[in-house]
Amino acid sequence: MTPPALPLSLLTRARAAASPQVTGVVTGAMGLTLTVDGIAAAVGDLVEINPATRPLLAEVVAVGRDRLTCMPLGTLSGVHAGAPVRATGMPLQVPVGEALLGRVLDGLGRPVDGGPPLASRVSWVDLASETPHALSRTRVEEPLTFGVRALDTLVPCGKGQRLGIFAGSGVGKSSLLAQITRGTDADVRVIGLIGERGREVREFLEENLGPEGMARTVVVVATSDEPPLVRLKAAFVATRIAEAFRDQGRDVLLLMDSITRTAMAQREVGLSAGEPPATRGYPPSVFAMMPQLLEKAGTGAVGSITGLYTVLVEGDDHNEPIADTARSILDGHIVLTRKLATVGHFPAIDVLESISRVATAVVPPPQMADAREIRRLMGALRDVKELIEIGAYQAGSDPLVDRARDLAPQIEAFLQQPMGESTPTPEAWAWLQRIVRS
Ligand SMILES: Nc1ncnc2c1ncn2[C@@H]1O[C@H](COP(=O)(O)OP(=O)(O)OP(=O)(O)O)[C@@H](O)[C@H]1O
Ligand SMILES: [Mg+2]
């Protein structure tokens, strides 16, 4: 089967057709890299190996006097020394625009849902984009609704904020993302599924998201079996698509599952390019890539990209380097705990450990006071939990704890929310107020 043609705009097609064709040859392939002699190209450009027979795209990662080092965007098997190589003369082009809504794309931006070809319905842009300058960015001041009560009130998110969802494996990160995708009031949702299991992707699209969830959504998928460079690109492709919507003045919700697997893809790419492993096997390029990717989200001069990134904390170790780096870049974190998941408390959000750095900017003071009160009650209860469990707590010794114990069932009911349920924010605030004022 031949892979779909490289997406090109008419102009670039014409330019390529007008320029003289020079063919190079593959001179070696090892690990994830291959060397090409005989053609000139810039770092970041794409070349095509075996253009006439079994085309395989590769990206130029290093250039020498007359030799290119490239990384394939596909599998290298079957590529032999002497195979012809054509320079495409440009970097990867990404489709952007309205026609992408409802579509599922692969890591390089090619449709994989069997729908009509994108061709002229979309615009094509370079993957590389200008990150908005810090001073041209508007401030995060308006709330963005997720439809999840615990988040909208106690960990409120602002348009243009970037939040991490931190959790161990199987604690409900992907399910929470799906719930948010359906419940949010963002104009456009862009989902990047990076390095996930293939089986899960279908489940996510068909069961969790459903047709109504898909309508205002663009999905970019690179499963775990894809080459590392494709997985890495997928994260940037999803972000680039979100940026184009933002630049039209839209409020975009960008959901990335997961940033950890994106970092792992960068690790494979870095190590195979000869970088030394530095922190726990991660080469330095991983820690350079993360801010580059995450800084692209946020507000622009117009519009906003609210970024939600899942972070896998291995062995529930929240100080693992990727989690640590993500936490330092992002403007808030939602922590999911296994303790809650195992007792069937979903979404398993550990409210007291979760923080939104923009909460006070997006929530009016009276509601903020209610939220603070709930946190205070939950905190009081947490502090004496062990005493209560061993029967050492005397009722009446602390009025705050007594009140928290009385209200605990109501707070539980407020925090737990079935997958298929979405609560409008005013309703969530009214519910919270009833608990606090009872
Ligand atoms: N809101 C929910 N209601 C009921 N069950 C849930 C909910 N969220 C998660 N679960 C349960 O937890 C399981 C794992 O959820 P999910 O796949 O979302 O976790 P994850 O953190 O994304 O896992 P992984 O690390 O493997 O990607 C689900 O199969 C489901 O049984
Ligand atoms: Mg998951």
Side-chain angles (χ1 to χ4, degrees):
M1 194 187 81
T2 48
L6 173 64
L8 302 177
S9 71
L10 280 175
L11 177 66
T12 36
R13 249 190 262 255
R15 218 165 38 204
S19 61
Q21 277 292 330
V22 183
T23 307
V25 287
V26 172
T27 49
M30 199 168 73
L32 286 178
T33 58
L34 50 88
T35 47
V36 172
D37 284 9
I39 46 172
V43 171
D45 277 2
L46 294 184
V47 297
E48 205 173 14
I49 299 151
N50 292 325
T53 50
R54 286 180 51 202
L56 166 68
L57 289 173
E59 187 179 89
V60 179
V61 292
V63 291
R65 180 180 284 272
D66 37 30
R67 169 159 294 185
L68 304 174
T69 307
C70 307
M71 264 192 194
L73 295 161
T75 140
L76 262 184
S77 65
V79 172
H80 54 83
V85 183
R86 184 180 72 83
T88 67
M90 65 186 158
L92 182 66
Q93 302 282 296
V94 182
V96 297
E98 219 62 28
L100 291 181
L101 295 174
R103 302 299 304 263
V104 184
L105 311 176
D106 72 2
L108 303 180
R110 300 174 294 200
V112 286
D113 53 6
L118 298 175
S120 57
R121 300 152 182 262
V122 293
S123 316
W124 297 94
V125 294
D126 280 1
L127 181 57
S129 64
E130 290 278 326
T131 301
H133 188 271
L135 296 181
S136 71
R137 295 186 144 176
T138 56
R139 293 175 52 166
V140 178
E141 282 168 333
E142 269 181 73
L144 183 78
T145 299
F146 284 161
V148 178
R149 294 188 289 271
L151 296 179
D152 287 338
T153 56
L154 300 170
V155 198
C157 178
K159 288 178 181 167
Q161 188 180 7
R162 297 151 318 149
L163 278 164
I165 300 179
F166 293 76
S169 58
V171 181
K173 297 180 295 296
S174 305
S175 308
L176 181 59
L177 276 195
Q179 196 171 11
I180 291 173
T181 311
R182 269 177 295 134
T184 183
D185 62 354
D187 301 343
V188 172
R189 285 77 55 93
V190 180
I191 305 179
L193 299 174
I194 320 289
E196 294 295 304
R197 295 166 277 261
R199 166 188 64 77
E200 267 190 352
V201 169
R202 186 108 199 234
E203 201 177 288
F204 185 87
L205 298 181
E206 288 173 5
E207 285 172 32
N208 292 343
L209 213 51
E212 83 281 12
M214 269 308 290
R216 281 184 297 149
T217 307
V218 186
V219 182
V220 178
V221 185
T223 47
S224 52
D225 55 331
E226 301 274 358
L229 194 55
V230 174
R231 277 178 269 143
L232 181 61
K233 289 280 176 224
F236 284 89
V237 167
T239 306
R240 186 68 188 89
I241 290 170
E243 287 179 282
F245 280 115
R246 171 186 61 195
D247 295 342
Q248 292 173 3
R250 314 280 282 270
D251 290 313
V252 186
L253 178 60
L254 172 67
L255 306 107
M256 196 85 77
D257 197 8
S258 71
I259 195 74
T260 309
R261 298 235 158 83
T262 309
M264 287 174 174
Q266 175 71 56
R267 170 166 69 184
E268 282 181 59
V269 169
L271 292 179
S272 113
E275 268 190 89
T279 318
R280 288 215 210 167
Y282 286 101
S285 61
V286 172
F287 303 99
M289 177 277 289
M290 287 182 63
Q292 268 176 22
L293 179 66
L294 300 178
E295 278 295 329
K296 287 185 182 295
T299 55
V302 291
S304 64
I305 300 175
T306 308
L308 262 183
Y309 303 88
T310 64
V311 185
L312 177 72
V313 275
E314 281 176 273
D316 294 77
D317 169 12
H318 285 256
N319 295 320
E320 172 279 324
I322 298 306
D324 231 20
T325 309
R327 197 177 296 111
S328 71
I329 303 168
L330 297 168
D331 323 302
H333 48 271
I334 298 165
V335 178
L336 307 185
T337 70
R338 196 172 298 280
K339 244 193 204 146
L340 290 173
T342 47
V343 297
H345 176 125
F346 285 112
I349 302 165
D350 186 337
V351 169
L352 293 175
E353 292 298 323
S354 304
I355 289 170
S356 164
R357 292 188 192 162
V358 305
T360 47
V362 299
V363 175
Q367 272 126 347
M368 201 64 212
D370 290 344
R372 234 179 259 129
E373 179 63 9
I374 289 280
R375 279 179 171 270
R376 203 164 72 98
L377 291 165
M378 290 175 71
L381 204 54
R382 183 179 65 174
D383 291 346
V384 296
K385 194 163 180 289
E386 276 161 25
L387 287 184
I388 294 173
E389 275 162 6
I390 60 169
Y393 177 78
Q394 287 272 324
S397 46
D398 182 345
L400 184 66
V401 173
D402 292 335
R403 185 165 142 75
R405 286 179 77 181
D406 289 343
L407 292 179
Q410 292 185 52
I411 297 178
E412 277 288 288
F414 175 78
L415 296 178
Q416 293 193 28
Q417 186 171 339
M419 265 294 277
E421 195 179 298
S422 164
T423 309
T425 317
E427 215 171 281
W429 281 117
W431 187 337
L432 191 82
Q433 192 182 51
R434 277 200 302 280
I435 300 174
V436 173
R437 314 248 163 118
S438 67

